[in-house]
Amino acid sequence: MLTYSLKRLAQLSFTVLGVVTLVFFTMRMIPGDPISAMAGDNLSGAALDQVRNQMGLNEPLLLQYLHYLGGLAVLDFGNTVTTKLPIIQLILDALPVTVSIAIGTIALTVLIAIPLGTLAAYTAHKGHKMLDNAITGLAMVLDLMPSFWTSLVCLLIFSLALGWFPASGTVTIDDPVQLLRRIALPVLVLSMAQIATMARITRTSVLEVLNEDYVRTARSMGWSELRVLFRHALKNAALPIVTVIGLSFGNLLNGTVIVEFIFTLPGIGSLLVGGINSRDYQMVQTLILFYALIFVIINFATDLVYRVFDPRVQI
């Protein structure tokens, strides 16, 4: 286990370095100038060049890249180009909102999708196609609904028409009730697509396991269907489900941009949109590095969790 962990960490380190390098040079190729965007009509000519020199933007790209890597090595992520605020502080301020949405979405997805997928697999195994088809059809419908559309529909119905949840307002972790009310609709919207995917994966995995000999043996021992279904079938079908949960959590941390924008939530996605619009190299580079690290950590943790569910897995 230790040898495997060290090898995986080494491989993932090269992955992160590749992402950092690609993003650094790609951002420099995008048309536009962060200094001009920041200054507007207030500066021009020599004044703009002076600001660029102060920020190191007139240095050769390779030298800028080496300086950037040197800062990362000492965990110095720098300041934003436009506001001069520490980037790491902005990320830490926005992180609780995005993490709360991701955790809430995963929790709601697991509570609904796994029982639904297991029920669909059981009914299909028993030959009761009607309920299985209904669950599968519902999953397909949820999967086809784009998040921007469901966000707008939920906003119109539950916030503007019924007034159950606020459409906007301040968000702070110091007020858990207000935080829950503000993220309730985003969690509902993001859960729809996640439920569809996880329910289908669960159905397929459990249905395959239900045909195994050890499941028949468990039934022949007189165990109840619930015990056979959840203790034996679902446990042995867990590997694909664990993979989906891990990837879903990473995608949620990185993919809440549209939902955060529609519901005016100050999360990581909103920071990224603001950084792209203002051509803030430092902000965008750091956020994409953060996204890459999240995927790396979650994939690494998912690989290790495999051993808990199936000791036969060779890692």
Side-chain angles (χ1 to χ4, degrees):
M1 178 72 77
L2 179 60
T3 302
Y4 168 80
S5 300
L6 294 176
K7 287 182 179 179
R8 285 290 290 159
L9 286 175
Q11 294 171 356
L12 296 174
S13 298
F14 283 107
T15 301
V16 173
L17 178 61
V19 171
V20 170
T21 304
L22 180 63
V23 171
F24 180 89
F25 288 102
T26 301
M27 285 298 299
R28 267 61 179 182
M29 295 170 60
I30 297 176
D33 181 3
I35 304 303
S36 300
M38 175 184 66
D41 297 329
N42 298 322
L43 296 176
S44 62
L48 284 176
D49 285 335
Q50 183 178 358
V51 176
R52 292 190 187 98
N53 287 329
Q54 292 174 354
M55 303 187 67
L57 295 178
N58 281 339
E59 295 178 347
L61 277 180
L62 182 58
L63 190 57
Q64 292 184 44
Y65 174 67
L66 294 176
H67 287 162
Y68 180 63
L69 290 183
L72 293 181
V74 295
L75 299 180
D76 180 11
F77 299 98
N79 300 330
T80 65
V81 174
T82 53
T83 63
K84 302 296 190 299
L85 295 174
I87 294 176
I88 188 63
Q89 187 59 52
L90 294 176
I91 292 176
L92 292 177
D93 290 341
L95 191 59
V97 174
T98 302
V99 171
S100 298
I101 294 173
I103 292 176
T105 301
I106 288 295
L108 183 62
T109 299
V110 169
L111 288 175
I112 296 176
I114 293 181
L116 272 182
T118 305
L119 178 61
Y122 180 75
T123 53
H125 178 70
K126 292 295 186 180
H128 305 304
K129 296 294 185 180
M130 184 176 295
L131 184 56
D132 176 39
N133 291 337
I135 295 175
T136 304
L138 176 62
M140 292 180 62
V141 171
L142 291 177
D143 202 20
L144 292 173
M145 296 165 59
S147 60
F148 71 87
W149 183 80
T150 51
S151 296
L152 293 174
V153 170
C154 289
L155 195 61
L156 288 172
I157 295 175
F158 297 109
S159 293
L160 301 182
L162 299 177
W164 292 353
F165 301 99
S168 61
T170 58
V171 180
T172 173
I173 59 174
D174 297 329
D175 188 353
V177 175
Q178 177 67 8
L179 176 63
L180 289 175
R181 295 189 71 226
R182 288 285 279 120
I183 69 172
L185 290 182
V187 166
L188 177 62
V189 168
L190 292 172
S191 297
M192 292 181 182
Q194 301 297 327
I195 288 171
T197 301
M198 194 174 298
R200 290 202 305 268
I201 295 295
T202 302
R203 176 192 178 278
T204 302
S205 301
V206 173
L207 185 59
E208 182 178 350
V209 169
L210 285 174
N211 294 317
E212 297 291 338
D213 291 337
Y214 58 83
V215 175
R216 298 190 187 96
T217 302
R219 286 198 179 102
S220 66
M221 295 173 63
W223 290 0
S224 66
E225 287 295 319
L226 284 177
R227 186 176 182 181
V228 170
L229 193 59
F230 286 98
R231 182 171 178 177
H232 292 277
L234 185 58
K235 181 179 179 181
N236 287 282
L239 284 183
I241 300 172
V242 169
T243 302
V244 172
I245 292 175
L247 294 177
S248 297
F249 188 72
N251 287 329
L252 287 168
L253 286 177
N254 302 337
T256 59
V257 177
I258 295 176
V259 172
E260 287 180 2
F261 177 77
I262 293 176
F263 289 97
T264 62
L265 292 168
I268 299 295
S270 299
L271 279 183
L272 180 61
V273 172
I276 293 173
N277 289 336
S278 61
R279 302 295 192 275
D280 196 325
Y281 296 152
Q282 288 289 108
M283 173 68 79
V284 175
Q285 288 167 185
T286 305
L287 286 174
I288 294 180
L289 174 60
F290 169 78
Y291 290 156
L293 286 174
I294 289 295
F295 268 111
V296 164
I297 292 171
I298 289 178
N299 287 337
F300 178 66
T302 302
D303 290 343
L304 296 182
V305 169
Y306 277 178
R307 290 283 291 179
V308 176
F309 287 92
D310 193 349
R312 298 171 299 175
V313 174
Q314 298 296 320
I315 59 175

